[in-house]
Amino acid sequence: MFDDIPTVTLPSGKSVPALGIGTWNMGDSKNEMPKEIAAIRKAIELGMTVVDTAEMYADGRSEEVVGEAIKTLRDDVFLVSKVYPHNASAQGTIEACERSLKRLGTDCLDLYLLHWRGSYPLKETVSAFEKLRDDGKIKDWGVSNFDTDDMEELFSVENGSNCAANQVLYNLSRRGPEYDLLPWCQSHGVPLMAYSPIEQGRILSNHELIRIAKAYQATPAQVALAFLLELDGVMPIPKSSNAERVTENRGAPELEITDEDWAALDAAFPPPVKKTALAML
């Protein structure tokens, strides 16, 4: 039913859909919760079963929204959450994970990420991740906002090469990862999760993106997502609290864009020609 959604393969060999849903800013308003829950459920219904959240989002309320949304759908979901850097000590990581599990109403995360680098040594956080996995509280662990040098350092520590994903800011207007980070991750079998894949809507007014979208009877957002889905090992996780918008996002894998139009997008959003620092939002 969902054969047109590309998949990415984790180091464990597990395949997951390359298109999911993010939940940043969900949980900020109780009035919005029914819409947010409906959007998450629509994504799952349409095969976009990677659901990404974090303890940081709305001080944990995003996890509560996700927990409510997946209450009867847990087995269908690839569930991702993240630990704050200031919680990422040996014991703090375990305690943060247990709080996230409680808010999410589950006993195991599919993927648990270090949200960004902090003051705790990577070997300490990795050791905690490995314990969580051994204890059955997570199936895999990874990182977020790690640049190439961070990934190399991570792989130099004991068990660091068990990293299952790196989630970074990546979209048509933020193509810096293509210079060295994406090739590094591809060569090491580490999927790259792309957050803010439409730059929170800011790129959707680009004239060339609009022109190409019209040529395919598509939306600019669909084309922007299709760009990322064309790349090996890249998983865009667009956030939407609107079920109709989620359905629109689901149409991105169906687009068959010509080489000529990809070249036009490259002209409008040039790929990097030198190393730049990894951007964050």
Side-chain angles (χ1 to χ4, degrees), residues 18-84:
L19 183 61
I21 185 169
T23 62
W24 191 11
N25 295 324
M26 288 192 189
D28 284 336
S29 167
K30 285 188 177 181
N31 293 336
E32 293 295 310
M33 282 184 62
K35 284 179 58 181
E36 293 165 350
I37 289 168
I40 295 168
R41 288 178 176 167
K42 175 57 70 173
I44 297 166
E45 175 191 329
L46 295 175
M48 299 160 55
T49 53
V50 176
V51 180
D52 177 84
T53 187
E55 67 171 340
M56 183 189 84
Y57 300 164
D59 293 326
R61 292 189 301 277
S62 172
E63 290 180 323
E64 293 172 358
V65 171
V66 171
E68 184 62 30
I70 69 172
K71 188 179 292 185
T72 60
L73 303 167
R74 178 65 186 94
D75 291 344
D76 300 324
V77 174
F78 185 82
L79 185 59
V80 186
S81 194
K82 310 179 198 72
V83 57
Y84 263 127

Side-chain angles (χ1 to χ4, degrees), residues 239-258:
K239 178 261 179 180
S240 180
S241 300
N242 183 312
E244 291 182 4
R245 190 74 68 195
V246 170
T247 302
E248 175 189 306
N249 291 341
R250 174 62 181 82
E254 300 170 8
L255 298 182
E256 296 183 5
I257 295 172
T258 65

Side-chain angles (χ1 to χ4, degrees), residues 6 11 22 54 70 72 79 89 110 115 125 128 146 193 195 236:
I70 69 172
T72 60
L79 185 59
S89 64
D110 294 289
H115 210 149
T125 307
F146 270 45
M193 299 180 73
Y195 75 81

Side-chain angles (χ1 to χ4, degrees), residues 182-275:
L182 177 57
W184 192 97
C185 287
Q186 289 170 330
S187 68
H188 289 80
V190 178
L192 202 67
M193 299 180 73
Y195 75 81
S196 294
I198 58 173
E199 189 66 11
Q200 299 180 310
R202 288 186 289 271
I203 63 174
L204 302 183
S205 59
N206 178 271
H207 294 307
E208 190 65 7
L209 187 58
I210 292 170
R211 182 194 69 77
I212 292 171
K214 286 181 178 178
Y216 293 88
Q217 296 183 309
T219 66
Q222 287 173 330
V223 175
L225 292 172
F227 162 76
L228 294 168
L229 291 168
E230 281 286 304
L231 302 165
D232 289 339
V234 176
M235 307 167 59
I237 46 169
K239 178 261 179 180
S240 180
S241 300
N242 183 312
E244 291 182 4
R245 190 74 68 195
V246 170
T247 302
E248 175 189 306
N249 291 341
R250 174 62 181 82
E254 300 170 8
L255 298 182
E256 296 183 5
I257 295 172
T258 65
D259 290 343
E260 182 181 6
D261 284 326
W262 284 134
L265 274 179
D266 275 345
F269 300 96
V273 295
K274 63 180 181 179
K275 172 67 178 176

